[in-house]
Amino acid sequence: MARRLRAQGHPLRLLARPEEAEGLFRSECDDVVAGDFNDPHWMSQAFDGVDAAFMYAPAPSASAAVFAAARACSVQRIVMLSSASVVKAPPGPNPIAERHRIAEAAVKAAGFEFTFIRPDTMASNCLQWARSIREEGRVYTACPDSMRNPVHEDDLALLAALALESNVHIGRAYFVTGPQVLRVRDQLDIIAEQRGTAIGCICIEEEEAMTRSMQAQPGMSRLAAQRLLDYLKKSVTVRPDVSDEFLEATGRAPRPFVEWVRDHLNAFRSSTEVSDGTASPLMKRGVS
């Protein structure tokens, strides 16, 4: 997204964690501010002089203060990466849905021009399989037949950039998906085909699946892991929707999952495969 906006001549400031800020994205922006996304003091420095901001949802305890800081700095527009769980999650405690609901409500209450981007399943979630694919050639899951509609993060970046630039998207909440429904098994088959080697799909117990989720995403609560597992189980029999809202908003069809895999293929290949240029038969034939 930064590269897209930079190409259009927009001055940019990026917020980064202190340990990552030095030298980060210098070619894609005019300024990098080190700070804590959930700290209103740091965010005030990031917001100073900014007209429009792209953001993730802050922690629920920080949302009101963070967006109040943005308003105090005269930020006019917020484009936020939210979540389809805001509208899809069933009643009951759900940390993921609540975080995004609270953030959306805080944005509206502060009176910003806003656009909410609500992806269902992000293709980048598959990166949690990368280590076990590289090291073991297999993936462990409780629900191998769970269905997903994975969306490429570049599509989200395109929509966010357009929402920052154009008034057309003010007040919209876009439900964004990829163009196809795939089971976990199907996704692994696509990764395996592009990688050039088979990938095993190992069915595991639910408790182990939750433990693996929490290990893959430090900071994830047990309740959040349980809700993710509940969604995977539900999606074995309930086919997720495929949305046309990305096409409506951008005039472009969303990228297929195989394109995401090609863009991230090295994440699923061993260091030896990457260093010696080993490629799958498809890649050797020049398919890209």
Side-chain angles (χ1 to χ4, degrees), residues 9-88:
H10 297 288
L12 298 179
R13 174 182 296 152
L14 300 184
L15 175 73
R17 297 181 182 90
E19 64 272 17
E20 299 174 346
E22 186 61 34
L24 185 67
F25 300 123
R26 293 292 178 183
S27 62
E28 278 86 33
C29 68
D30 301 279
D31 187 21
V32 176
V33 174
D36 182 342
F37 189 67
N38 294 306
D39 186 323
H41 171 73
W42 284 106
M43 292 304 293
S44 291
Q45 297 181 47
F47 289 135
D48 185 36
V50 169
D51 298 318
F54 170 74
M55 299 181 62
Y56 298 134
S61 60
S63 270
V66 166
F67 291 116
R71 175 51 78 196
C73 292
S74 299
V75 174
Q76 298 299 309
R77 179 174 302 180
I78 297 289
V79 176
M80 189 169 72
L81 183 63
S82 185
S83 167
S85 63
V86 168
V87 292
K88 289 186 64 174

Side-chain angles (χ1 to χ4, degrees), residues 179-220:
Q180 60 198 139
V181 172
L182 298 167
R183 300 175 304 166
V184 170
R185 294 183 191 274
D186 300 328
Q187 291 179 286
L188 293 176
D189 286 345
I190 292 170
I191 296 171
E193 181 181 15
Q194 295 301 309
R195 186 171 177 258
T197 55
I199 298 173
C201 185
I202 311 301
C203 192
I204 57 176
E205 297 295 328
E206 293 181 8
E207 184 64 32
E208 182 180 354
M210 288 197 297
T211 298
R212 286 178 176 271
S213 291
M214 290 185 287
Q215 290 173 343
Q217 302 180 60
M220 174 180 284

